Amino acid sequence: MRRFLPGLWLIVGLELRQRVRGAAWYVLIGIFAVVLLAVTGLFTWFTVSTPGADSGGPLYSVIMYIVLLLSTLMTPALSGSAINGDRDTGTLATTQVTLITTGQLVVGKFLAAWVSALAFLVVSLPFIIVAVTLGGLSPVTIVTSALILVAELGVFAAIGVGLSGLLSRPLFSVVVSYLTIAALCAGSLISFGLLTLVTRSDVTVTQTNVSASSGDPSTTDPSQIQCDPPTTYTYPVPRYDYYWWMLASNPYVVVADATPGSFTSAGSPADLFSIIATGVRSAQHAPPLTVVDDYCAQVKAEANGNHDTTSGPTSKEVYDSSVPSWFVGLGIHILLAAGLLAGAWARTRTPARRLSKGSRIA
C-alpha cells in the first residue's frame, strides 16, 4: 500500500492540474453557480412573501438534482477519454514505462474524474446553507442525500474511465459513456412507460345508481329512495406493479428513495425527493380489479345523516407501506462501475498479450 499510494496521488494530481488549466472548466462552474443563484433567489422570495412557508426542503432537493443533472451531462465528457485519449496522444505508453502500475493509472484517473464531478457539489454548498436557513430541512435528509449523490457521481466517473480503457477511440468511448448514463436515467423511464402501455388488466366495476322514479334524493324520504338494478362495466388500467422494479436503476430514483421521506401534516410530500419516492413506491401496489360502487346505498346513508368521511390513503401512508428499492439500484450501479474499471485495467495492463488493429504503442 505504501508503494501504491504515492503513484496513485501522482496520477490524480496530474489529471486534476490538466483539467483546471483551461478556461472552459471555470466557465462551467460559473454557469452552474448562476443557475443555483437564480433558483435560490426564487425560493427565498417565495419564503419571504408567503407567511409560514418552509421552502428549505424543496430548495435543497432541487439543488441536489441540479448537481446530479449537470454531472450526468458533464462527467462523460470529462472522463470518457481519460485513458484512450492519452493513448492517442502518445503519452500513455510514456507513463506505462515508468514505475506507475496499471492499477495506479486506472484508479488515479477514476479518482480525478470523481473529484472533478464533486466540484459541482462543492460549489453548491453556499446555496445549501441558504436552504438550511429557510427551514423545513432535517440533518438526516442532508447527510443521506449527499452521501448517495457522492456515490452516484463516482459511478458516473467510473463509467467514463472504464469505457475509455475498454474502447480504442476517444470519441466513441465518450458517446458510449453518454449512452450508458442515458440508459440508466432516461432509458429506465422509457422502458417502464412503454411496457406499462402494452400491459393492462381489466377492472370490473359493479355500479348501483338511484332510480329516476325516486325524484330528488336530497328532498325525498330515505325510505322512498329506490335503487336501479346493478350494472357492470369494465375499463383497462396499466399494471405499474409488474415493472416498478425497472425504476430502481434510475440514479434520480436512487437518490430520492434513499433520502428519508418528508411530508406535511396532511400527509403530502414536502420536497422533490418525497414526490419522486412516493410516485415510485405507489407503483408497487396492484390496482383493485373488482370495484363495487353502490352510489344508491351512499345516498340513503347520507339522507339518514350518515356521511361517509373515509378517503384513500395519503402519500405518507403509501410511502410507509411500500418497500424501498434504492439499495438495489445503487448495488447495480456499483457492480457496473466496478466491472468497467476492471475491464479497463485488463485492457490497459502491460505487457499486453494482444493489441487491436490500429492501436498506438508510443
Side-chain angles (χ1 to χ4, degrees):
M1 184 61 69
R2 291 181 179 179
R3 295 181 178 179
F4 184 80
L5 290 180
L8 175 66
W9 300 132
L10 176 63
I11 296 296
V12 173
L14 290 173
E15 287 289 312
L16 291 177
R17 284 194 292 270
Q18 184 178 2
R19 294 178 191 277
V20 300
R21 283 176 184 172
W25 174 251
Y26 299 100
V27 172
L28 288 175
I29 295 294
I31 294 175
F32 177 62
V34 170
V35 172
L36 290 183
L37 180 62
V39 173
T40 304
L42 290 174
F43 274 90
T44 304
W45 173 81
F46 173 77
T47 303
V48 173
S49 60
T50 307
D54 292 331
S55 60
L59 173 60
Y60 175 76
S61 59
V62 170
I63 289 175
M64 289 292 101
Y65 273 131
I66 291 177
V67 174
L68 184 59
L69 174 62
L70 192 60
S71 298
T72 59
L73 297 176
M74 296 306 304
T75 304
L78 296 173
S79 62
S81 59
I83 296 176
N84 51 19
D86 286 356
R87 183 182 290 115
D88 259 16
T89 57
T91 58
L92 180 63
T94 304
T95 304
Q96 289 178 312
V97 297
T98 65
L99 296 179
I100 296 296
T101 65
T102 303
Q104 291 171 326
L105 181 68
V106 174
V107 177
K109 287 181 176 292
F110 157 65
L111 290 178
W114 194 358
V115 171
S116 300
L118 290 176
F120 298 110
L121 184 59
V122 174
V123 173
S124 68
L125 288 179
F127 305 98
I128 293 176
I129 295 175
V130 174
V132 173
T133 60
L134 293 178
L137 190 59
S138 67
V140 177
T141 298
I142 297 175
V143 173
T144 305
S145 59
L147 289 177
I148 298 299
L149 179 60
V150 168
E152 288 295 335
L153 298 184
V155 169
F156 295 158
I159 289 174
V161 173
L163 289 173
S164 73
L166 286 171
L167 303 176
S168 301
R169 304 301 178 188
L171 179 60
F172 186 53
S173 62
V174 170
V175 172
V176 175
S177 298
Y178 271 112
L179 291 177
T180 303
I181 295 177
L184 294 175
C185 298
S188 58
L189 289 175
I190 295 174
S191 301
F192 173 78
L194 292 176
L195 288 172
T196 54
L197 283 177
V198 299
T199 308
R200 294 171 175 260
S201 296
D202 288 332
V203 176
T204 302
V205 180
T206 302
Q207 190 175 57
T208 305
N209 293 316
V210 178
S211 175
S213 61
S214 300
D216 186 0
S218 61
T219 60
T220 304
D221 184 358
S223 61
Q224 301 300 319
I225 297 178
Q226 302 296 323
C227 299
D228 285 335
T231 59
T232 301
Y233 65 93
T234 62
Y235 65 91
V237 293
R239 296 305 302 266
Y240 301 117
D241 55 308
Y242 288 168
Y243 307 108
W244 69 269
W245 51 269
M246 300 182 68
L247 299 175
S249 62
N250 190 296
Y252 295 84
V253 173
V254 170
V255 174
D257 197 49
T259 305
S262 177
F263 298 89
T264 63
S265 57
S268 301
D271 56 27
L272 190 56
F273 292 144
S274 301
I275 292 174
I276 295 176
T278 302
V280 173
R281 293 194 183 192
S282 63
Q284 300 176 13
H285 301 276
L289 300 181
T290 302
V291 178
V292 177
D293 184 10
D294 197 342
Y295 175 69
C296 185
Q298 179 183 350
V299 170
K300 287 184 177 181
E302 292 178 353
N304 286 314
N306 300 322
H307 296 279
D308 187 9
T309 59
T310 59
S311 59
T314 63
S315 297
K316 187 178 187 306
E317 292 171 343
V318 172
Y319 180 90
D320 292 336
S321 63
S322 307
V323 179
S325 61
W326 63 269
F327 53 88
V328 178
L330 185 59
I332 293 173
H333 296 169
I334 292 176
L335 289 176
L336 173 63
L340 290 176
L341 288 177
W345 175 85
R347 184 80 162 74
T348 312
R349 65 180 177 178
T350 52
R353 296 180 180 180
R354 293 178 56 188
L355 289 175
S356 58
K357 185 178 181 180
S359 296
R360 180 170 182 168
I361 303 300

